[in-house]
Amino acid sequence: MEQLQVIRTNQPKHKPNEDELGFGKYFSDHMFVAEYSSEKGWHDSRIIPYGPISLDPSAMVLHYGQEVFEGMKAYRGAEGDIILFRPDMNIRRMNRSCDRLGIPQVEPEWLLQAISKLVEIDHDWIPQRVENSLYIRPFIIATEPCLGVRASQEYKLIIITSPVGAYYSSGLAPVSIYVEDQYVRAVRGGTGEAKTSINYASSIKAQEEAKRQGYSQVLWLDGVEQRYIEEVGSMNVFFKVAGEVITPELNGSILPGVTRDSVIMMLKHWGIPVTERKISVEELFEAHQQGKLEEAFGTGTAAVISPIGAMKWEEQSIEINGGNTGEISGRLYDTITGIQQGKLADPLNWRHLIGKL
Amino acid sequence: MEQLQVIRTNQPKHKPNEDELGFGKYFSDHMFVAEYSSEKGWHDSRIIPYGPISLDPSAMVLHYGQEVFEGMKAYRGAEGDIILFRPDMNIRRMNRSCDRLGIPQVEPEWLLQAISKLVEIDHDWIPQRVENSLYIRPFIIATEPCLGVRASQEYKLIIITSPVGAYYSSGLAPVSIYVEDQYVRAVRGGTGEAKTSINYASSIKAQEEAKRQGYSQVLWLDGVEQRYIEEVGSMNVFFKVAGEVITPELNGSILPGVTRDSVIMMLKHWGIPVTERKISVEELFEAHQQGKLEEAFGTGTAAVISPIGAMKWEEQSIEINGGNTGEISGRLYDTITGIQQGKLADPLNWRHLIGKL
Ligand SMILES: Cc1ncc(COP(=O)(O)O)c(C=O)c1O
Ligand SMILES: Cc1ncc(COP(=O)(O)O)c(C=O)c1O
C-alpha cells in the first residue's frame, strides 16, 4: 500500500455539547479521501482537514446515483481502548454494494487501516459519555464528468466521522410503526440488499406520511406481493412469537445488517431459538390476536436495539408487550452495547481495538 | 421574480469538433445556479462560468440520493431561431419528480426563463450541424450537511448544457435489445415514473451484462411479475403489431417521456391507431411468431426514435422487420426531428422559440 499522507488541521473545531449531539449533525476535524481511476486504481490516499469537496456539476453521482456507503461506530472503551464493532462486516458489505452498483471494490485491509488511522487522529472526537459514540461514514461517489448512463471511470472514497448521541437519552423507548402498503422500498432484482443512497431517497415520502400520522417509522413490505415484512425504517426487524424469535430471511431486497447478524449470533449463543424466514404481515397480526406476539424490535447501528411498542396496518392498530420494552430486547441492548463499550466480556470476538486513548 | 445575476466568463473554452461530440462529454461556458432554503425558498439565481461546485462531504445527495433531473435540447432553427421542444412538458415532469422525492417544486415560468437565458448566453454552443443540438440538463440536489435520513432543508438547482451529436451519424441504425429477466428497474410504489438519479444507478449492472452479450440496450420488465414490458434502456418503447401501434400504458413505474407523448400525438394526428396498454413479453414474441410484429422502436430525447432490429428473450432471438428501420419509425424520426430543427411545419405547436441567432 502506498504511503498515507496526513495533513492536520491548524484550526481544530470547537466540540459540540455532548447533550445535544443528535445524529450526523457535527463532524470531526479530519476526513480521509482517496481517488480511483481506471489506470491507477485506488490512489492518492490522504487524511486532510474536514471541508468541502469540489465536484464537476456533471459528476456522475449527481445524475445517475452511482454511490455506496457504510455506517459504523467507534467507542471509547472502559479501559481507554478505542473500539470498533465488527468492522470487517461493514467492509465486506461495502464491497458487495460496490459490486451491485458497478463500482470498483476496495482492498479490505487498506480500508480498515484508513478508518483506524482517521479515528486515531480524531480520537478526541469520540464522546466521553458511555452511551455516545463516533459514527463513521465511509462512502464512494462516481466523479467522472459525463452525462452518459454507464459506470463512471473515476471515483472518490471519502470517510467522515460524526460524534453522535444515544438514540435513547433516558433508556430504551419503544417506538410505534406504520405498515407501509403504498410505497415500496425495494424489490428482488433491485438494489435493496446494497447500502447505497438510491435506496433511501425513495423512502422519504413514506417516512413523512408516517410521521404525519404520528408514527416514528415505516415498516416495509416486499415489493412483489406487498405482504411479507422486510425492514423497519433503516433497521432490520425481529419478532418474538410464542417464545421463538423470528426475523425476515435475507432475500435480496433486505439489507443484511451487522446488528441483525450480531443479534442472531447472540440469541444462538444464549440458546434462544431464532429462525430466519418469510413473515407475512397477516401472520404477525394473527399472532397478536392469539396473544402470541410477545416482542418486536428493530436492529441497526444507530439505535442498536429499538423496541417496537405499537403497530398500525390498514385499519388495525395493535400494542405490543403493553407498549413496553420486552425482556429480550432489553437484554440484547444491554449486552451488545456493553460489548461495544468494552464493559462486558466479548464471547463472540466482536471488538476490534485500534489503539489506546 | 428576483433579478437574475449574470457573470460572464472571461475565459471562453475552445469548442469541440462537431464530428466528435458524442453525448454529455463537453460543457458550454456557463451554468445556472439557484439555492433553496426553507426560510427563503428558491433564491440567489445566477448565471456564472461553468465550473466545479463545492459540497460539504455530508451533503445529503451524496448519502441518500435526494435528486431530480431533466433532459431536453435546444436546436438551431433553419431561420436562425433558437428552438426548444415542448419545454413545458419537461418542467411539469420535473415538478412531479420533485414531489415524489420530497424536494420543493420550482415556479415553472422562472425555470423556463432560467433555461432560456442560459441558452441565449451560450447560443454559440448550439452546434451548427442540423443533426446536432445543445442538450440541457437541469437538476436539483439536496445539499444540507446532515446524515439523518429525511428530506433536506437546503437544495441547489443547477442547469448545465452540453453540445451533443446525433445518435445516428449516418442515418437511423436499428439496435438489438436484450429482455432483462433478472434485474428490475422499477416497481409500482417505487420511483420509476420520476426522473431521478436513483433509477439509473441500479441499471448499470444490467446494461453491462447486455453489452457483454452483444446487445446495445436492456428491455425492462415490470417489477412485480417480470412479465410486462416497461421501457428500453432510457427510452420508452413502441411496437407495431398487425397495423396497430401499441405502447405500455403509464402505470407508475414507467417514465412518462416527452418523446413518447409526442409520438402518440403525431400518430393520432396522422390517423394511425395507437393504444396504450399492458403488453406482456409473451404476447410480443407470439405476435412475432405469427408474423404480426412489424416494427419496434424506442423513443427519447437523446435519440428521438431508435428502431429496434433484434430482440433476445431467454433462449429466443428474433429479428424485427428484417433488421431494418420500419416505415413508421422512419416517418416519425423525420417528422419530429424536422419540427425540432425548424424545417417542417409545426401542426401541434411544439416549438418554443427563445430568440434569434
Ligand atoms: C435499510 C437499512 N436496514 C438495516 C440497517 C441496519 O444495518 P446495520 O445493523 O449494519 O447498521 C440499515 C443501516 O443502518 C439500513 O440502512
Ligand atoms: C428511463 C427513461 N425512460 C424514458 C425516457 C424518455 O423520455 P423523454 O422522451 O422525455 O426524453 C428517458 C429520458 O430520456 C428515460 O431516462
Side-chain angles (χ1 to χ4, degrees), chain A residues 23-25 27 31 50-69 99-102 135 137 139-141 145-152 158 160 162 182-191 196-208 222-226 234, chain B residues 23-25 27 31 50-69 99-102 135 137 139-141 145-152 158 160 162 182-191 196-208 222-226 234:
Chain A
F23 185 81
K25 292 195 297 187
F27 298 93
M31 63 187 189
Y50 184 98
I53 56 170
S54 169
L55 283 181
D56 195 278
S58 69
M60 282 178 149
V61 66
L62 303 178
H63 301 272
Y64 307 123
Q66 220 192 347
E67 195 257 15
V68 295
F69 71 91
D99 185 52
R100 179 62 184 86
L101 274 295
Y135 183 78
R137 168 59 58 92
F139 62 108
I140 301 177
I141 54 177
C146 178
L147 298 182
V149 182
R150 56 165 173 77
S152 175
I158 302 177
I160 55 180
S162 167
Q182 178 190 358
Y183 295 113
V184 165
R185 174 188 171 272
V187 67
R188 58 90 188 78
T191 56
T196 165
S197 59
I198 68 180
N199 294 332
Y200 297 81
S202 56
S203 77
I204 288 172
K205 224 41 221 282
Q207 182 64 30
E208 283 181 351
D222 76 285
V224 175
E225 300 185 52
Q226 295 190 298
S234 317
Chain B
F23 184 81
K25 293 194 296 184
F27 299 94
M31 62 186 189
Y50 183 97
I53 57 170
S54 169
L55 283 181
D56 195 277
S58 68
M60 282 178 148
V61 65
L62 302 179
H63 301 272
Y64 307 123
Q66 222 193 344
E67 195 257 17
V68 296
F69 72 92
D99 185 53
R100 179 62 183 86
L101 275 294
Y135 182 77
R137 166 61 56 92
F139 62 108
I140 301 178
I141 54 177
C146 179
L147 298 182
V149 181
R150 56 164 174 77
S152 175
I158 303 177
I160 55 179
S162 168
Q182 178 190 359
Y183 295 114
V184 165
R185 174 187 171 272
V187 67
R188 57 93 187 75
T191 55
T196 164
S197 60
I198 69 180
N199 294 332
Y200 296 82
S202 57
S203 78
I204 288 173
K205 228 28 226 283
Q207 182 64 31
E208 284 183 352
D222 76 285
V224 175
E225 299 185 52
Q226 295 190 295
S234 315

Side-chain angles (χ1 to χ4, degrees), chain B residues 77-97:
Chain B
E79 313 287 310
D81 296 310
I82 304 173
I83 301 171
L84 298 183
F85 184 73
R86 310 186 74 191
D88 51 311
M89 295 281 286
N90 294 91
I91 292 171
R92 266 208 303 271
R93 185 171 64 189
M94 178 128 154
N95 272 336
R96 287 198 309 271
S97 301

Side-chain angles (χ1 to χ4, degrees), chain A residues 291-306:
Chain A
K292 294 194 211 152
L293 177 56
E294 297 154 358
E295 287 189 44
F297 56 94
T299 68
T301 296
V304 187
I305 302 292
S306 182

Side-chain angles (χ1 to χ4, degrees), chain B residues 69-71 90 93 185 195 200 231 233-236 255-260 299-302:
Chain B
F69 72 92
E70 267 304 329
N90 294 91
R93 185 171 64 189
R185 174 187 171 272
K195 203 158 167 80
Y200 296 82
E231 310 196 39
S234 315
M235 297 186 285
N236 296 112
L255 191 84
V258 175
T259 321
R260 175 186 182 279
T299 68
T301 296

Side-chain angles (χ1 to χ4, degrees), chain B residues 118-263:
Chain B
L118 179 65
V119 171
E120 210 186 295
I121 286 181
D122 275 340
H123 64 80
D124 274 357
W125 285 85
I126 308 175
Q128 299 289 342
R129 291 218 195 151
V130 68
E131 69 274 20
N132 296 345
S133 55
L134 187 68
Y135 182 77
I136 305 166
R137 166 61 56 92
F139 62 108
I140 301 178
I141 54 177
T143 52
E144 189 186 343
C146 179
L147 298 182
V149 181
R150 56 164 174 77
S152 175
Q153 285 167 28
E154 299 163 22
Y155 300 86
K156 250 187 214 311
L157 164 63
I158 303 177
I159 310 173
I160 55 179
T161 69
S162 168
V164 298
Y167 240 65
Y168 308 100
S169 33
S170 48
L172 282 185
V175 296
S176 55
I177 64 176
Y178 173 87
V179 180
E180 178 57 57
D181 53 11
Q182 178 190 359
Y183 295 114
V184 165
R185 174 187 171 272
V187 67
R188 57 93 187 75
T191 55
E193 71 182 335
K195 203 158 167 80
T196 164
S197 60
I198 69 180
N199 294 332
Y200 296 82
S202 57
S203 78
I204 288 173
K205 228 28 226 283
Q207 182 64 31
E208 284 183 352
E209 180 56 30
K211 278 258 153 71
R212 191 163 29 241
Q213 295 197 32
Y215 294 84
S216 76
Q217 298 275 355
V218 156
L219 184 136
W220 296 108
L221 300 179
D222 76 285
V224 175
E225 299 185 52
Q226 295 190 295
R227 197 176 151 205
Y228 294 100
I229 290 169
E230 299 221 317
E231 310 196 39
V232 167
S234 315
M235 297 186 285
N236 296 112
V237 65
F238 287 76
F239 304 97
K240 183 162 163 252
V241 177
E244 185 197 16
V245 178
I246 57 177
T247 189
E249 65 192 1
L250 300 179
N251 60 356
S253 54
I254 292 175
L255 191 84
V258 175
T259 321
R260 175 186 182 279
D261 186 79
S262 307
V263 161

